[in-house]
Amino acid sequence: MLDAQKNGYAVGAFNVENMEMGQAIVAAAEELHAPVILQTTPSTVRYASLDMYRAIVATLAAKAAVPVVIHLDHGDSYDLAVGALEAGYTSVMIDGSHEGFEENIALTKSVVEQAKLKNIPVEAELGKVGGKEDDLDGGSGGYTDPMEAKEFAERTGIASLAVAIGTAHGIYSGTPVLDVDRLKAIEKVVDIPLVLHGASGLLDKDIIECVKAGICKVNFATELRIAYSNGVKQVIRDTPDVFDPKKYGKVGREYVVEAVKARILVCGCDGKA
Ligand code: 13P
Ligand code: ZN
Ligand code: NA
């Protein structure tokens, strides 16, 4: 992400739910010679376990021709974040954005302290990204204030900061209006890489504008879940008698490869590995 910051591109971060999606994300990254971040939310971790996803991604990473890392997305407690550190995740997010400013700082600092012992970078969030991520309802409003962001980054010692500038988790019902001027103002006063959440459903040009304005990591979740499900549904619709999970898993995987490739190109991280 520091290389991305220096060279004006963003690393794509893709939420993984199962082995097939993991394989697809890594295959897409290899095809486009892109470094890639795979990440899991708390509900995903509850579906299987930290160890399970860590093992899947480590297996993929060991054979990949590009850098592959695993990140805890929207870590919702100190215990889960520390659990991810212990499980061998290569970075973690602690999301205290639902707390007050001082409480968010205290929670974030406590995770950074533990992560530092293992030299693991921590992402945190200030302001509220809209929509529904996982079981958390982001609500609306609460854009990131640039001067608060500066203070937050300095006092917590985080490695990257997720900002709220009008994006929302999930697919947008209307046309999202992004406050790119606010992003530029944050970038001016905050030294560390900035992260854009809620990128599913954003126009290519909006993502490109945000990357130009200082975004170094872009998160995609819903688009991949939809792509995988569309592939599976197509097979079941066309061949209702199918009973081999490999048959529809394979098509779901192919759909995710295409979705991820398109977004890697938008982030500009192709050819960076
Ligand atoms: P989308 O579901 O809108 O892609 O948001 C992804 C995200 O921010 C994951 O943290
Ligand atoms: Zn998010
Ligand atoms: Na979105």
Side-chain angles (χ1 to χ4, degrees):
M1 284 167 67
L2 291 172
D3 185 73
Q5 187 182 36
K6 214 186 312 163
N7 294 298
Y9 66 95
V11 183
F14 301 97
N15 285 68
V16 56
E17 311 291 353
N18 58 18
M19 178 194 74
E20 289 82 355
M21 292 176 76
Q23 290 173 311
I25 296 162
V26 173
E30 285 186 309
E31 202 176 319
L32 295 176
H33 305 282
V36 73
I37 299 167
L38 281 71
Q39 54 188 17
T40 58
T41 61
S43 75
T44 302
V45 169
R46 282 196 298 274
Y47 176 64
S49 67
L50 288 165
D51 289 339
M52 182 70 82
Y53 289 105
R54 202 277 179 182
I56 290 170
V57 177
T59 302
L60 293 165
K63 293 210 168 76
V66 295
V68 173
V69 295
I70 181 159
H71 175 71
L72 176 68
D73 187 29
H74 291 283
D76 54 4
S77 69
Y78 172 87
D79 287 346
L80 182 61
V82 170
L85 295 174
E86 283 165 358
Y89 272 51
T90 42
S91 59
V92 300
M93 176 184 189
I94 179 71
D95 183 357
S97 63
H98 301 267
E99 312 274 347
F101 185 67
E102 289 299 330
E103 291 78 10
N104 190 353
I105 287 181
L107 174 64
T108 302
K109 263 178 93 165
S110 69
V111 172
V112 169
E113 233 164 69
Q114 291 306 308
K116 279 227 164 90
L117 301 174
K118 290 184 184 296
N119 209 12
I120 296 289
V122 176
E123 173 184 339
E125 177 171 323
L126 186 63
K128 290 198 171 74
V129 174
K132 203 170 160 63
E133 166 68 28
D134 231 26
D135 303 332
L136 296 173
D137 198 344
S140 60
Y143 286 11
T144 308
D145 175 78
M147 289 320 289
E148 275 191 8
K150 176 182 163 63
E151 183 184 343
F152 186 87
E154 287 170 358
R155 284 176 60 191
T156 55
I158 50 172
S160 62
L161 179 69
V163 294
I165 57 162
T167 61
H169 293 111
I171 292 301
Y172 298 87
S173 41
T175 310
V177 180
L178 305 189
D179 192 345
V180 179
D181 287 339
R182 177 181 297 271
L183 172 58
K184 288 177 183 162
I186 298 168
E187 197 271 337
K188 261 208 185 94
V189 294
V190 175
D191 296 334
I192 54 173
L194 302 176
V195 181
L196 189 70
H197 281 245
S200 288
L202 288 184
L203 297 173
D204 290 356
K205 71 166 178 59
D206 286 342
I207 295 176
I208 289 166
E209 201 184 352
C210 288
V211 173
K212 273 203 185 115
I215 290 293
C216 306
K217 171 178 179 261
V218 184
N219 285 5
F220 301 95
T222 307
E223 284 180 1
L224 276 64
R225 293 176 185 145
I226 291 173
Y228 184 75
S229 301
N230 280 347
V232 171
K233 285 185 222 174
Q234 188 206 297
V235 172
I236 292 177
R237 208 186 305 115
D238 294 350
T239 48
D241 293 338
V242 69
F243 56 80
D244 182 348
K246 296 191 286 299
K247 291 261 158 52
Y248 46 83
K250 184 170 178 285
V251 177
R253 197 161 62 189
E254 286 162 6
Y255 276 49
V256 175
V257 171
E258 292 313 310
V260 172
K261 273 165 58 183
R263 287 323 208 167
I264 282 175
L265 293 173
V266 172
C267 289
C269 53
D270 54 303
K272 304 294 185 190

